[in-house]
Amino acid sequence: MSDATPHLGLPLIAASQAQKHVTHNEALGLLDALVQLACLDKDLTAPPPSPAEGNRYLVVAAEPGGAWAGLAGQVVRYGDGVWTGAVPRAGWLAWLIDEADLYVFDGVAWTSLSRTLTAIQSVSRLGINTGADATNRLAVKADAALLTWDDATPGSGDMRVFVNRKAAARDAALVFETGYAARAMLGTLGSDDFSLKVSPDGAAFATALTASARTGGIDFASAETALAAAPITDLGGAGTRRVLVTGAARIASFGAAADRERFVRFSGAATLVHDPEALALPTRADLVTAPDDTCIAASDAAGRWRVHHYQRADGTPLATGAQVLGATGSVRLPGGLIVQCGLVTAADADVAVAFGTAFPGSCLGVWAQPVAGAGAALYVAQVSDVAVAGFTLRTRRATAGSVAGAGSVPTYWLALGA
């Protein structure tokens, strides 16, 4: 039978042994040294000059000196003026006070648990403050999580998170949940296009925006929300960029939502009430809408709305400014008609006249009127060869029963086209 225990090497009291208290006290001393093992240091190569009773050290030096000679690899304890060593077994744990770290003996050497944890690789699951499972192999329960660039190694200064999928038909996404039910997904969802999808219930999803992988173009969802005209018609609360306003009520405000933009269509004769502090209109006057009239409205940071553009369905402008047509020039009339005019004084009786701007479609007609001084002669002007770019002006003089071509006769002309 062995005279020591197999794990801690505690001495056993033999049968009929004299002075049993010596063996018993030696075992208690070893228990006091090795149970709840906490050592002051492990990096010394020789005993400290003034050890205290009960001090413990790990001797990891291959050839320690002084009173530690021959105790390499052991746990040493100072007691009664003597250093006593204990050979560690695999699985022993020791707390290193100077490092505030826990070490484990693997049968050959002491290894830091904290350094072991920093080098963990290929673990099947990891839960931080919660339990991981077969689906969520990494699980974190916290108020915040930080991923930052490596300033210790040091790194490049970049920080990238890669979400990889098997094929374009699969998803690579960030999923945002409420009560563990999805409410939004952001990523490449079933294609290489980048998209944002939202859901009210975690089952049915609507695509809010898509960025084309091929062109880079952004496409927003274009659903139209219908709102009944009312004194406060809340465009900002509609939830979509396109809004159909129905009914014929007076509208004094589009709501108080800040920094919103809306494309608005009207289906009835509502009245928009101009107010520079609430609803500013292009004409600075009230507007009566008509079916299929449209406008673009936006609010500022204070929730004040402004109609930046208003388009009547029939093309009629909101207000026609002063249309001044001088002796020469052109003007476009409501409805698309174009009027051009000019003054011709040519030495020749027949002269080709070019319009200032060719009519985009056709010339509907040209009228000419000569201007002559007092006398018995009668001057007339004829128009021929009318085209979108111009016409031929023929000036004639009738006197004493004869008609002849006349040059140098000032002649005004007027043309109408579209």
Side-chain angles (χ1 to χ4, degrees):
M1 179 178 176
S2 173
D3 59 357
T5 62
H7 298 297
L8 294 180
L10 304 178
L12 298 173
I13 299 174
S16 303
Q17 175 183 323
Q19 294 186 320
K20 293 180 174 61
H21 67 281
V22 175
T23 302
H24 177 71
N25 289 341
E26 181 183 354
L28 290 178
L30 285 171
L31 285 174
D32 183 66
L34 300 179
V35 174
Q36 301 289 357
L37 181 59
C39 299
L40 295 175
D41 201 344
K42 67 172 181 55
D43 300 314
L44 301 182
T45 58
S50 301
E53 187 76 10
N55 282 174
R56 292 167 294 180
Y57 292 84
L58 294 184
V59 181
V60 299
E63 296 181 359
W68 287 359
L71 299 179
Q74 297 187 32
V75 179
V76 297
R77 177 179 66 96
Y78 185 75
D80 297 326
V82 177
W83 289 100
T84 304
V87 178
R89 271 73 164 177
W92 281 24
L93 298 174
W95 178 255
L96 265 294
I97 295 174
D98 67 324
E99 299 180 20
D101 194 2
L102 184 65
Y103 277 72
V104 61
F105 188 71
D106 61 6
V108 178
W110 292 92
T111 304
S112 163
L113 280 182
S114 66
R115 283 196 291 271
T116 301
L117 291 174
T118 61
I120 286 179
Q121 298 187 56
S122 300
V123 294
S124 60
R125 299 179 187 178
L126 178 60
I128 301 176
N129 200 34
T130 188
D133 55 39
T135 300
N136 302 293
R137 297 184 183 181
L138 171 62
V140 179
K141 181 182 286 186
D143 288 338
L146 173 66
L147 300 176
T148 185
W149 71 281
D150 178 10
D151 59 351
T153 304
S156 64
D158 296 329
M159 177 61 220
R160 298 186 177 96
V161 177
F162 296 88
V163 181
N164 186 45
R165 58 184 177 168
K166 181 179 180 180
R170 311 301 296 176
D171 291 345
L174 298 178
V175 181
F176 302 89
E177 297 183 329
T178 298
Y180 299 104
R183 290 295 182 268
M185 294 192 296
L186 181 68
T188 49
L189 307 172
S191 74
D192 286 329
D193 294 339
F194 185 82
S195 62
L196 168 64
K197 295 185 177 183
V198 293
S199 171
D201 55 12
F205 284 84
T207 301
L209 65 86
T210 302
S212 170
R214 184 177 60 85
T215 66
I218 302 294
D219 187 18
F220 293 92
S222 58
E224 184 178 68
T225 299
L227 291 179
I232 299 178
T233 304
D234 188 9
L235 297 186
T240 59
R241 298 185 76 199
R242 295 196 303 126
V243 179
L244 170 64
V245 176
T246 64
R250 289 176 63 83
I251 300 174
S253 170
F254 282 157
D259 299 321
R260 297 292 191 271
E261 183 183 63
R262 294 292 182 262
F263 298 94
V264 186
R265 181 169 65 94
F266 299 93
S267 66
T271 299
L272 304 182
V273 180
H274 173 69
D275 182 346
E277 295 301 319
L279 180 55
L281 302 176
T283 58
R284 299 182 181 179
D286 295 356
L287 289 174
V288 178
T289 69
D292 287 328
D293 283 3
T294 58
C295 74
I296 299 174
S299 63
D300 61 16
R304 295 183 295 253
W305 286 84
R306 177 177 296 276
V307 174
H308 292 282
H309 174 75
Y310 191 99
Q311 178 66 54
R312 294 199 183 278
D314 63 3
T316 304
L318 292 181
T320 303
Q323 301 290 313
V324 178
L325 188 63
T328 60
S330 65
V331 64
R332 183 182 293 272
L333 301 178
L337 289 178
I338 301 173
V339 178
Q340 299 195 59
C341 65
L343 174 64
V344 177
T345 303
D348 295 332
D350 297 346
V351 60
V353 178
F355 296 134
T357 302
F359 289 105
S362 63
C363 178
L364 304 178
V366 180
W367 296 265
Q369 176 63 51
V371 179
L378 175 64
Y379 293 89
V380 295
Q382 296 177 325
V383 174
S384 64
D385 306 322
V386 176
V388 295
F391 63 95
T392 299
L393 177 65
R394 305 178 189 279
T395 308
R396 298 292 183 264
R397 176 184 180 185
T399 180
S402 63
V403 177
S408 301
V409 178
T411 302
Y412 287 102
W413 58 267
L414 180 70
L416 182 65

